[in-house]
Amino acid sequence: MPSVFLSYSREDLALIQLLAAELKTCPGISIWREQDKIYGEQKWPKVLGQAIADQDIFLLTWSKNTEHSPLVEFEWNMALALGKTIVLCTLDSTRLPSSLSSIRGIPINNIKKIAASLTGGSFGGDAARRSEVLRILDQIKSTEPEHVLKATVDLINQPSWTVHGNVIQGDHVTVQIGEGAKQSAKNLVEKWRDWVAFAVGILGLIISIPMFMEPSKNGGPELGLSAPSTTSVNVEQPKRQALGGAIRSEGSVPLDGVKVSLPHFKLETTTDKFGQFRFEVTASDQETVALLAQKPGYQTYEADVTLGNPALGFTMRKNP
């Protein structure tokens, strides 16, 4: 049975509790999320790093809240440094940092796919890195999340810290590579730069030639100014666009069973257990349309929204 380290922001706790409850019903999955108990300890960076190392898989929930959480950033950097298997669960459409951009996210409402990813892959991490990462974390004395993150970066970024010539490139954590590999990379960049400069020069020459040529009376080209070209007017075509998001109550609890409609398109759907909804419509790019949300016992929510936005978020208030 794989044990899963669940990384999340406390601002998303209502959604995380639903996710954890759903995953616990899946056979063969054990969820670990005891970060809050660890953060109060004097040596929490090492203890938390140990906890991440001890679990088989690292499940990262990504949202606008986790993007700005130094604690979550510390956790996923540790997962990278330890070579853990990372499964990414997306709560909204917040852009990923470059270090995680190669991982394909799974929407939180696709429990079946998340569970399959947690049970169908390779487990563990790089045993050779484990002791070294924990040794580095043991040197950190601060308990402030921002200071811990910076101290971790400073320690791991030392040139002496190498792992079999591999590179772990993150926004904040980098394992250095050998000088030979660095020189090869430098030579490759220099060659690429020379070729780009040559190609740009040739392209500029090709583009500039027609500017000084125009048809002569006998049909051959001669020097001069080119005749005015006919400019075509592009008519914008309607395109398929998504519109979606999540609806919560005043206590940030996901609201299911909310009837969401787009009157202009005569479309209607209902939010799921995570309070999420989604439409697919064909219309002008980023057209503004009216959205209506209704649920018994709650005040009706009305707003003008822009098509192409799959990460709307709003709160519905109970009737007075």
Side-chain angles (χ1 to χ4, degrees):
M1 173 185 293
S3 58
V4 180
F5 185 100
L6 180 54
S7 178
Y8 62 94
S9 166
R10 284 197 59 81
E11 282 75 11
D12 296 322
L13 187 57
L15 278 174
I16 298 305
Q17 289 173 333
L18 283 174
L19 173 64
E22 288 289 325
L23 290 176
K24 285 180 180 178
T25 65
C26 301
I29 296 178
S30 172
I31 301 295
W32 191 99
R33 60 181 190 96
E34 302 293 330
Q35 296 94 314
D36 292 344
K37 296 178 182 179
I38 289 178
Y39 288 143
E41 299 185 17
Q42 188 175 2
K43 283 282 188 179
W44 73 258
K46 183 180 180 181
V47 177
L48 187 59
Q50 179 84 52
I52 295 172
D54 288 345
Q55 312 314 313
D56 298 313
I57 299 178
F58 186 85
L59 175 57
L60 173 61
T61 57
W62 191 256
S63 69
K64 62 181 179 181
N65 294 319
T66 52
E67 179 187 28
H68 300 294
S69 169
L71 293 174
V72 174
E73 187 172 359
F74 171 84
E75 290 171 1
W76 64 256
N77 271 304
M78 284 300 97
L80 286 176
L82 289 163
K84 306 298 292 186
T85 298
I86 298 178
V87 174
L88 182 65
C89 171
T90 55
L91 309 189
D92 54 37
S93 61
T94 301
R95 187 175 180 179
L96 291 165
S98 59
S99 314
L100 304 172
S101 59
S102 62
I103 305 175
R104 189 174 183 84
I106 307 172
I108 188 173
N109 55 5
N110 195 341
I111 297 295
K112 185 176 180 180
K113 189 171 183 179
I114 294 173
S117 298
L118 294 175
T119 56
S122 59
F123 303 151
D126 191 322
R129 296 178 192 168
R130 180 187 175 108
S131 60
E132 186 65 8
V133 170
L134 296 181
R135 182 190 67 79
I136 287 174
L137 293 179
D138 195 37
Q139 299 177 39
I140 299 174
K141 306 303 180 185
S142 175
T143 58
E144 291 297 324
E146 292 82 0
H147 297 162
V148 170
L149 185 59
K150 184 180 184 305
T152 305
V153 172
D154 292 342
L155 287 169
I156 291 182
N157 264 341
Q158 296 178 83
S160 60
W161 207 72
T162 59
V163 184
H164 306 305
N166 292 330
V167 177
I168 305 172
Q169 178 64 57
D171 284 4
H172 300 284
V173 177
T174 305
V175 178
Q176 303 292 332
I177 60 178
E179 292 301 322
K182 288 182 179 179
Q183 187 60 44
S184 297
K186 181 179 179 182
N187 292 340
L188 181 61
V189 170
E190 289 177 349
K191 290 180 180 179
W192 176 83
R193 186 172 54 208
D194 292 341
W195 273 106
V196 169
F198 176 75
V200 170
I202 294 298
L203 182 60
L205 180 61
I206 293 173
I207 292 175
S208 64
I209 290 175
M211 295 177 61
F212 300 99
M213 303 296 292
E214 68 177 2
S216 65
K217 294 179 180 179
N218 58 10
E222 63 180 19
L223 291 175
L225 296 176
S226 59
S229 60
T230 301
T231 303
S232 60
V233 178
N234 293 323
V235 179
E236 183 180 346
Q237 298 295 321
K239 69 176 187 178
R240 196 73 173 166
Q241 300 170 81
L243 180 71
I247 303 176
R248 301 184 184 184
S249 69
E250 292 175 277
S252 294
V253 177
L255 278 179
D256 62 345
V258 178
K259 184 173 70 174
V260 186
S261 59
L262 299 177
H264 178 73
F265 299 98
K266 297 181 180 179
L267 293 176
E268 184 178 292
T269 187
T270 304
T271 57
D272 60 19
K273 66 180 69 176
F274 297 102
Q276 298 189 339
F277 67 92
R278 183 180 176 85
F279 292 102
E280 291 281 345
V281 298
T282 300
S284 300
D285 188 27
Q286 295 189 328
E287 180 179 336
T288 299
V289 298
L291 177 143
L292 190 67
Q294 299 171 298
K295 181 178 174 70
Y298 289 82
Q299 299 177 28
T300 298
Y301 181 91
E302 297 181 75
D304 290 330
V305 296
T306 303
L307 296 179
N309 184 355
L312 294 171
F314 54 88
T315 300
M316 291 185 68
R317 293 177 169 80
K318 288 188 176 182
N319 289 327

